[in-house]
Amino acid sequence: SIGKGAVSMYLDLAEFASVKQFAAEFLSKYDRLDMLMNNAAVMMPPKSKTVDGHELQWGTNHLGHFKLTLLLKDVLEKSAPSRVVILSSASAFKCTMMCPTDPTIDYSDINWEKRKYVKDLSYGSSKLANLLTAMELPNRFKGVTAYSLHPGWVQSKLMRHMSAPPTCILKMMGLLNIEIGCHTSYHCALSDDKDLVNGAFYTQCGIYKDKTAAKGAWPLAEPPNPFISKEAAKELWDYSVTAVAD
């Protein structure tokens, strides 16, 4: 169910046509957008593709959200000061429970057609892209701030495709309930601009290889993945614009 006053609209991030239809419907009804939260994701499913031929995690978690954000750029800028909040993950980094190495973005094989498909690293790459998008967006949108975050390990159906051992360990350690799992999202969505760092990554506790990041931080001053840089964020943005073009 949705809260009082909320309006639901159909959107399938794994299909660009659906993203375009949603944006068109939204813009036909509303002339203001104060905050866009890119929250949806798929996590470690069997190898498959979106309707448009992209690897499912990359196409849904990154490209679908990216196209939606571009389509809403004008209304976000018109509504300035506005903001975009993007749910990333601890899996954007080397993570004891998920990614065995620091995720990267391999533009030469973005859809895992040449390499053996590693669903953990594919998920990590899509979440790394979320973080980099939030870094670069303030340079591309006028009057719009952006933040990425790891919400913590939350009781949801997102982990349904994970193998049993890590799922059991996470449950033994204690998963956050939905309310607490929303806290970091609320912080990035509702705090005053002066209390946030534009483009930064915010995190609940995470099982990071880097122990200094394990307790979380709002924001995490130095995200522990050497792939992350201003140059990488710019390269991803330029690639993504082409990838989602009609």
Side-chain angles (χ1 to χ4, degrees), residues 30 43 49 62 64 79 100 112 140 167 172 202 210:
Y30 307 102
M43 180 174 162
K49 291 186 176 183
H62 172 56
S79 306
W112 295 82
R140 308 284 183 146
T167 303
M172 290 171 60
Y202 291 73
D210 183 343

Side-chain angles (χ1 to χ4, degrees), residues 88-99 149-154 169-170 173-176 184 201-218 220 224:
S88 177
S89 171
S91 292
F93 319 104
K94 189 174 183 179
C95 178
T96 56
M97 292 300 299
M98 315 285 260
C99 290
L149 65 98
H150 168 56
W153 306 111
V154 183
I169 293 173
L170 285 172
M173 294 177 61
L175 297 172
L176 303 177
T184 315
F201 175 77
Y202 291 73
T203 174
Q204 285 270 25
C205 57
I207 310 172
Y208 299 95
K209 284 286 188 182
D210 183 343
K211 301 303 181 185
T212 63
K215 293 183 179 181
W218 291 7
L220 191 62

Side-chain angles (χ1 to χ4, degrees), residues 64-136:
H65 283 125
F66 188 86
K67 187 174 183 69
L68 175 64
T69 305
L70 287 187
L71 290 170
L72 298 176
K73 177 183 179 182
D74 288 348
V75 71
L76 282 165
E77 291 185 331
K78 178 182 176 182
S79 306
S82 55
R83 67 181 63 174
V84 176
V85 178
I86 307 174
L87 269 73
S88 177
S89 171
S91 292
F93 319 104
K94 189 174 183 179
C95 178
T96 56
M97 292 300 299
M98 315 285 260
C99 290
T101 61
D102 282 311
T104 61
I105 299 173
D106 185 350
Y107 294 104
S108 69
D109 188 24
I110 204 75
N111 291 315
W112 295 82
E113 295 170 335
K114 302 174 185 177
R115 298 168 289 168
K116 179 181 177 181
Y117 181 64
V118 182
K119 62 182 183 179
D120 310 51
L121 287 176
S122 175
Y123 180 70
S125 294
S126 71
K127 297 287 100 182
L128 173 60
N130 293 152
L131 183 153
L132 293 172
T133 299
M135 285 179 59
E136 182 64 14

